[in-house]
Amino acid sequence: MKQLLIYERPVQLNRVAHRNHRVVASEGDFRFAAGLNSVPVACVEFARAARDYPIVFAGNSADSVVPAALLGLRSGQNLMVDAEGRWAEGSYIPAFLRRYPFVLAERDAEGSDFTVCLDAAFEGLRDGGEEGTALFDEQGNDSALLTNAMEFLQEYQVHLTRTRSLASALVSHDLLVSKQVNVQTAAGETFSLDGFFVVDEQKLRELKGKALQDLAKSGDLGWIYAHLLSLGNVELLSRVLDKQSAPVAKH
């Protein structure tokens, strides 16, 4: 089973062990995400992701949810990635995927100390040679590639912390409700997708006073409405599924 969804063999980046390692850019190749039907998104991504995907709160219980963009309606199927690994043109690519093959891993239980890791199973990783871009320069210092990656990871971590605050606010106000999506394809096949939560609009409308003011002041209220508006995108995914499942016409 893969760790961290897309990271098969995450290893701590080491200035000695990885001194001669290079990364061959895989820009535009998302085959590593072809089996994901959802991916975590930070709240700062909601506005953009909500144009293309349903944003739900995934988890086994309401008090342990993580916001996620639905990328497919079946387990193990990402409707956004084609057979060549290309992402659907014009559709938003979540930051969780754009940081690959790098990731920050927590070194303590409090989540206050992190270390940079990379996926040793990444097909674009090379040990020596001239192909690709070096992780370290000749003096052993971080290359521009690694510096940029670390800045991206650190910024993403800040957004994740803010996203946890949003999830905590939803739980404290008891706004989350379990949801199941029933899908019927153009061919007549029916199936259900569950295991996630959404904001209960009725409970949201009933919020008053300080509770509502706190959500508005923190910015959470805007993200909540982006989430609610995004739920209509289940129909978009259903249409993509129908298109991909349609038989190819013979000439």
Side-chain angles (χ1 to χ4, degrees), residues 4 18 21 31 59 66 68 83 108 122-123 171 175 178 189 229 248:
L4 298 171
H18 298 106
H21 280 64
R31 283 175 293 181
V66 174
D108 58 33
F122 173 51
E123 292 183 359
V171 171
L175 289 176
S178 180
E189 179 188 4
L229 287 169
V248 178

Side-chain angles (χ1 to χ4, degrees), residues 29-103:
D29 184 355
F30 291 93
R31 283 175 293 181
F32 64 87
L36 295 181
N37 75 333
S38 67
V39 65
V41 287
C43 51
V44 72
E45 300 180 86
F46 279 22
R48 181 61 188 88
R51 302 179 193 176
D52 302 315
Y53 317 112
I55 298 173
V56 300
F57 293 87
N60 295 322
S61 61
D63 59 358
S64 63
V65 295
V66 174
L70 285 183
L71 306 175
L73 299 174
R74 284 195 179 102
S75 177
Q77 181 186 51
N78 185 344
L79 293 170
M80 296 298 108
V81 178
D82 66 17
E84 284 72 44
R86 294 177 301 229
W87 200 268
E89 186 175 358
S91 296
Y92 178 71
I93 303 171
F96 182 93
L97 301 177
R98 286 186 277 121
R99 65 182 180 166
Y100 186 79
F102 301 99
V103 64

